[in-house]
Amino acid sequence: MQTVAVGISGGVDSAVAALLLKRQGYRVIGVTMQLFGDRLPRTSGARDIDDARRVCEALGIEHVVADMSEAFCRSVVDEFAAEYRRGRTPNPCILCNRDLKFGAMWEFARTLGADAVATGHYVTLSFDEESGRWQLWQDPSRKDQSYMLWTLSQEQLSVVRFPLAGMEKEAVRALAKEAGLPVADKGDSMEICFVEDDDHAAFIERYTGIADRKGHFVDANGQVLGEHQGITHYTVGQRKGLGIALGRPMYVTALNAAANTVTLGAEGSQTTDLLTADSINFVSIAAPTMPIRVQAKIRYQALPADATLTVEGGITTVLFDTPQRAVTPGQSVVFYQDGLLLGGGFIR
C-alpha cells in the first residue's frame, strides 16, 4: 500500500483531498506546515493547525505538524518584503509552492515513509508517454490554479497527487459535509496568509522594522505631482488609494525604487503589448524552438491572451497580439497552449 502525505492546511480543499485519497485505498498521513512563529506571529495560525488536527481525527489518519516557520520566512516572506522595496509586486504563493509545499514538505514527508505528496490544488496532472514528461493542464473547474504551479520541476511532479482535479468547489464542500468533516463550511482565505489585515505596506514595516520613505509622485516627463507615502504602498495599475487628487483618474504606471518615485498616468497609459521576463521554467515541455505562439496570463485572475514567446540570448520577451493592462514587475507571466501549462517566468 502506497503512503501519501497530504498537506492539511485546515481548509476544506486539503481535507477533501485527504478524504479522496483514503477512499482510493492509500495510507494517508496529514502533514500541517507550521508557518508562524517568533519572527512571524499570527493568531489564526494556531486555529488553522487545530482545524487540521480535527480533520485528521475525523478521517482517522495520522496528523503531524512540521515546524517550517524559519524556512517560510527565509524563502517566502523575506523575499516578499524585499521585492516590494525594489518597487516590484510579488506573488508569494508561487515561491511557497515551489520551496515549501512541494519542496520542504516533500522532504519532510519522505522521512515519514511517504511515497508521494498531495495538496488541494485545482489542477490536472498527466504523464505523456511520447515525451516522457509529466504535464500540468489548466483545470476544467472554475477554480483552476495551474497559474500558481509554473515553477515546479519534473522531479517534483513525479511524486505529486492532485485529487481535486476536475472538481468544482460546490462538489468539494458537499463531499466534506457528507463525510462529516469539521471544516465543510469554513470560508476560503482571500488575502495573503501572513498579511492578516490586507495592508502589505504596514506589514512590511512591522516585519522589517524599517519605515517606508516618502517620495514624489511624478508624471511620464518626471514633473513632480505631489508626495507619496512610500513605494511599498503602491503597485502598477493601481488607481484607488493614491492619496492625491489631480482632477481626473490617474493610475500607477511605474515604480522606481532607486529614485523613490511613483509615476502616474491617465487611462490607457498603463497598457503595453510587450514584456520581458526572467527565471523562465518550462514545465510540461522541454525548452522549445523559438519563437512559439502561446496564450499568456499576466496575473492569476487574468484571461490568457494570444502572444508570441521568444527566448534568445538569455532574454525572454512576450509580444501580445492585443495590449495588456497593468503588466506588473514581480508578478508571473505563465504560458499555455490549448490548456497545457508550458511554463512561466517573473515579469521584469
Side-chain angles (χ1 to χ4, degrees):
M1 178 186 295
Q2 278 201 329
T3 298
V4 180
V6 182
I8 302 289
S9 65
V12 67
D13 293 331
S14 59
V16 172
L19 169 67
L20 292 173
L21 287 168
K22 185 180 180 185
R23 288 182 176 179
Q24 291 166 18
Y26 292 100
R27 173 179 174 248
V28 178
I29 301 173
V31 177
T32 300
M33 297 188 298
Q34 179 184 323
L35 303 179
F36 306 103
D38 293 339
R39 284 186 64 192
L40 189 66
R42 178 171 175 172
T43 54
S44 63
R47 293 197 298 272
D48 289 338
I49 291 174
D50 187 58
D51 285 342
R53 176 189 56 78
R54 293 191 300 124
V55 164
C56 291
E57 286 179 353
L59 291 172
I61 63 175
E62 181 182 355
H63 180 229
V64 182
V65 177
D67 185 354
M68 297 187 181
S69 55
E70 181 55 37
F72 184 63
C73 286
R74 185 174 59 251
S75 296
V76 179
V77 189
D78 288 355
E79 184 63 13
F80 173 84
E83 279 283 83
Y84 262 106
R85 292 199 179 281
R86 295 179 190 121
R88 293 161 59 88
T89 306
N91 186 327
C93 296
I94 303 288
L95 295 183
C96 186
N97 285 330
R98 183 190 69 188
D99 296 342
L100 274 293
K101 292 179 182 176
F102 302 102
M105 189 176 78
W106 164 237
E107 292 303 318
F108 178 79
R110 291 175 63 185
T111 69
L112 304 176
D115 302 293
V117 65
T119 67
H121 283 94
Y122 293 80
V123 66
T124 299
L125 176 68
S126 66
F127 184 74
D128 181 60
E129 296 285 351
E130 184 176 345
S131 65
R133 294 182 71 87
W134 292 94
Q135 297 183 328
L136 283 173
W137 298 81
Q138 283 183 297
D139 202 64
S141 74
R142 295 190 302 273
K143 286 283 289 181
D144 169 54
Q145 293 172 311
S146 59
Y147 174 90
M148 300 292 190
L149 302 174
W150 67 265
T151 60
L152 300 190
S153 68
Q154 284 290 301
E155 181 181 0
Q156 288 171 316
L157 292 179
S158 70
V159 294
V160 168
R161 306 285 186 273
F162 296 113
L164 303 189
M167 296 185 67
E168 295 291 351
K169 187 65 177 242
E170 296 83 358
V172 169
R173 289 201 182 277
L175 268 178
K177 289 181 180 180
E178 171 201 307
L181 299 182
V183 295
D185 295 316
K186 186 174 181 179
D188 293 338
S189 175
M190 301 303 292
E191 76 280 351
I192 297 169
C193 71
F194 52 85
V195 184
E196 288 188 272
D197 53 7
D198 207 23
D199 185 342
H200 58 267
F203 166 80
I204 291 168
E205 186 168 327
R206 290 195 306 269
Y207 181 74
T208 63
I210 302 172
D212 210 353
R213 293 186 301 117
K214 294 183 178 182
H216 289 134
F217 286 118
V218 298
D219 64 16
N221 298 316
Q223 179 180 343
V224 174
L225 302 175
E227 184 181 69
H228 69 65
Q229 298 303 305
I231 61 171
T232 64
H233 290 74
Y234 309 98
T235 186
V236 170
Q238 180 179 339
R239 178 175 70 87
K240 296 182 179 180
L242 298 180
I244 185 173
L246 296 171
R248 57 175 175 160
M250 297 291 277
Y251 299 80
V252 175
T253 61
L255 300 166
N256 187 325
N260 196 24
T261 58
V262 175
T263 304
L264 301 180
E267 176 70 47
S269 60
Q270 75 278 28
T271 62
T272 181
D273 62 358
L274 181 69
L275 66 79
T276 59
D278 55 28
S279 303
I280 298 300
N281 180 54
F282 287 103
V283 183
S284 301
I285 61 171
T289 301
M290 296 294 170
I292 60 171
R293 293 288 291 169
V294 298
Q295 296 86 47
K297 287 182 66 167
I298 58 170
R299 65 180 62 85
Y300 176 55
Q301 298 290 354
L303 294 174
D306 291 331
T308 299
L309 169 66
T310 304
V311 182
E312 186 175 1
I315 299 175
T316 299
T317 60
V318 182
L319 179 63
F320 290 94
D321 293 3
T322 304
Q324 301 296 296
R325 181 185 178 280
V327 174
T328 307
Q331 289 285 292
S332 293
V333 56
V334 179
F335 319 119
Y336 298 89
Q337 277 185 346
D338 299 321
L340 179 65
L341 173 59
L342 303 184
F346 293 113
I347 299 171
R348 295 178 64 176

